């Protein structure tokens, strides 16, 4: 269910609030996430964003991770303050060791195709101007995710405020948990109080019970060397080794966020379509490959190829051919049939423009696409 509320005001930059409540249906549900939406809906929209004018979008029990990604991506384009309120449950993909936000159809065996990877959220918010994005979470973690959080924590990268709590999953006999933290936030706002985020967090945490929980209160840090401000002198260190080291250690969210922040820096400094910005787009594509997210990697490599073609690079330019070849290869690794079908038309279009040096690549792609309509990807 999607609901949009627009609260008129007199500011040039209205705030945007995206409310996401997601959890599996059936016995896999650890938290009654959607129960918080009526409570938040009773809060004045301006309280959710701290701005006189606000747009509020609700996403209740979404089925498809691409739908959630599309909503997050659309919200991230807002020029004004962005607030994401997320109630739900975290699960860990045991093969990739990546955190996911479980959705309505998520099960342990289908997680990679039916849940939202946490690093997708990190990548989409990382491209925004530092200090304009706040994420408030009320999450329950299953046993594997809780162990992962205990050693690595939960983050979204520099420039993003992150508040809230993550609770350990309750025992089955106690039933599903409730998003008490976000309900406490709503109760405070409905009383007429408008505390700052740090104070709100303290009050909501105190009211939400004494369950075993990881409390999050990450304010906006000062820019680090890897995300220096626009117009700053050239950084003293090459950021690539640190980013690749993070990816190699399995900290894919951290690596993706740092690369996206660098891409944003180059966009501000050199402009869209610059070779500097395209370079970081390609870094993000390769990081998605390392994170075993072939759909995202394919999408990013296609974007890089198109950006180079827009710069009037030749169709047989090695960088253009390489981007299309890598997009093609990553597309062949996708096991999510709807996602593979969705990406195929753009890939076919690029293959017609950039046939590459492997003879018959377009024909191979078209045959494989035909097979998607008759059975699973081979």
């Amino acid at each position: 269910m999607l609901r949009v509320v627009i609260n008129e005001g007199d500011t040039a930059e209205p705030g945007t609030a995206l409310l996401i409540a997601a959890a599996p249906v059936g016995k896999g549900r650890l938290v009654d996430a959607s129960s918080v939406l009526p409570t938040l809906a009773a809060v004045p929209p301006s309280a959710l964003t701290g701005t006189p004018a606000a747009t509020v979008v609700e996403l209740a029990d979404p089925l498809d991770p691409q739908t959630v990604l599309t909503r997050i991506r659309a919200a991230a384009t807002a020029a004004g303050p962005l607030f994401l309120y997320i109630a739900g449950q975290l699960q860990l993909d045991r093969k990739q060791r990546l955190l996911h936000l479980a959705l309505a159809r998520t099960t342990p065996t289908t997680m990679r195709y039916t849940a939202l990877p946490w690093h997708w959220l990190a990548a989409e918010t990382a491209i925004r101007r530092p200090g304009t994005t706040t994420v408030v979470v009320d999450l329950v973690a299953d046993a594997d995710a809780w162990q992962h959080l205990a050693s690595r924590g939960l983050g979204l990268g520099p420039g993003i405020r992150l508040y809230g709590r993550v609770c350990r999953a309750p025992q089955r006999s106690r039933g599903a948990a409730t998003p008490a933290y976000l309900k406490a936030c709503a109760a405070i706002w409905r009383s007429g109080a408008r505390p700052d985020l740090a104070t709100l967090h303290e009050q909501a945490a105190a009211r939400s019970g004494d369950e075993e929980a990881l409390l999050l209160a990450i304010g906006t840090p000062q820019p680090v060397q890897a995300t220096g401000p626009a117009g700053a002198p050239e950084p003293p260190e090459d950021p690539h080794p640190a980013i690749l080291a993070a990816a190699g250690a399995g900290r894919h969210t951290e690596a993706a966020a740092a690369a996206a922040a660098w891409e944003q820096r180059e966009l501000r400094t050199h402009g869209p379509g610059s070779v500097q910005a395209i370079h970081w787009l390609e870094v993000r594509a390769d990081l998605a490959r390392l994170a075993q997210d072939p759909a995202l990697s394919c999408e990013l490599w296609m974007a890089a190829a198109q950006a180079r073609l827009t710069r009037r690079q030749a169709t047989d330019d090695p960088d253009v051919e390489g981007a299309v070849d890598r997009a093609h290869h990553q597309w062949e690794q996708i096991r999510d049939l709807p996602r593979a079908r969705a990406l195929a038309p753009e890939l076919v279009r690029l293959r017609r423009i950039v046939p590459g040096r492997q003879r018959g690549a377009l024909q191979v792609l078209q045959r494989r696409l035909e097979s998607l309509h008759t059975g699973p990807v081979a």
Side-chain angles (χ1 to χ4, degrees), residues 6-353:
I6 299 178
N7 183 40
E8 297 295 340
D10 57 2
T11 181
E13 283 193 348
T16 300
L18 176 58
L19 317 181
I20 301 174
V25 298
K27 63 181 182 180
R29 175 167 294 206
L30 302 176
V31 59
D32 184 10
S34 60
S35 66
V36 77
L37 290 180
T39 309
L40 288 173
V43 173
S46 59
L48 294 170
T49 62
T51 57
T55 298
V56 180
V57 179
E58 293 182 9
L59 201 54
D61 290 322
L63 300 174
D64 176 46
Q66 289 302 318
T67 299
V68 182
L69 179 62
T70 298
R71 296 296 176 188
I72 293 172
R73 186 169 290 168
T77 64
L82 172 64
F83 284 74
L84 273 66
Y85 295 91
I86 304 175
Q89 67 189 60
L90 288 177
Q91 296 181 206
L92 188 71
D93 174 10
R94 294 180 182 178
K95 182 177 181 180
Q96 301 181 41
R97 308 302 295 174
L98 294 174
L99 289 171
H100 289 67
L101 178 69
L103 303 182
R105 294 186 295 195
T106 300
T107 67
T109 57
T110 66
M111 188 187 314
R112 292 175 59 192
Y113 317 111
T114 60
L116 180 79
W118 190 256
H119 67 270
W120 284 13
L121 174 62
E124 294 302 323
T125 54
I127 65 175
R128 286 179 50 83
R129 184 160 46 91
T132 62
T133 306
T134 303
V135 180
V136 183
V137 301
D138 197 344
L139 302 169
V140 171
D142 71 4
D144 289 334
W146 181 257
Q147 254 189 345
H148 183 88
L149 289 169
S151 61
R152 300 193 179 183
L154 183 70
L156 287 170
I160 309 298
R161 288 187 293 261
L162 177 61
Y163 288 89
R165 69 167 189 170
V166 183
C167 293
R168 192 170 192 166
Q171 297 179 357
R172 292 290 180 185
S173 59
R174 297 176 58 187
T178 60
Y181 175 90
L182 280 176
K183 288 185 177 182
C185 289
I188 293 168
W189 284 322
R190 291 174 65 186
S191 72
R194 298 292 184 268
D196 59 68
L197 281 169
T199 304
L200 175 70
H201 169 71
E202 291 179 1
Q203 294 176 354
R207 293 188 185 191
S208 56
D210 57 358
E211 299 101 328
E212 186 174 2
L214 169 67
L215 296 178
L216 305 165
I218 304 173
T220 305
Q222 294 298 315
V224 296
Q225 288 183 346
T227 58
E234 285 299 314
E237 294 183 11
D238 179 1
H240 295 80
I243 291 173
L244 291 175
R251 303 195 307 275
H252 298 293
T253 298
E254 176 186 329
W262 264 96
E263 181 188 6
Q264 183 68 11
R265 176 186 185 274
E266 300 295 14
L267 285 168
R268 292 194 300 265
T269 305
H270 301 284
S274 63
V275 293
Q276 294 88 348
I278 293 173
H279 165 75
W280 284 103
L281 181 61
E282 293 175 339
V283 170
R284 290 176 58 208
D286 204 43
L287 289 173
R289 175 188 65 83
L290 293 174
Q292 298 183 40
D293 190 345
L296 179 59
S297 183
C298 172
E299 184 176 11
L300 292 171
W301 278 119
M302 289 194 298
Q306 184 56 55
R308 290 190 179 278
L309 289 170
T310 301
R311 286 180 55 85
R312 300 186 181 277
Q313 290 183 236
T315 57
D316 60 352
D317 184 297
D319 288 334
V320 176
E321 288 185 339
V324 177
D325 287 346
R326 291 181 178 93
H328 190 163
H329 175 73
Q330 288 299 299
W331 182 81
E332 291 180 335
Q333 312 307 310
I334 300 172
R335 296 296 178 262
D336 180 349
L337 293 180
R339 187 69 179 128
R341 293 189 189 105
L343 291 172
E346 175 64 11
L347 183 56
V348 169
R349 185 189 72 80
L350 284 171
R351 261 300 176 218
R352 285 174 176 157
I353 299 171

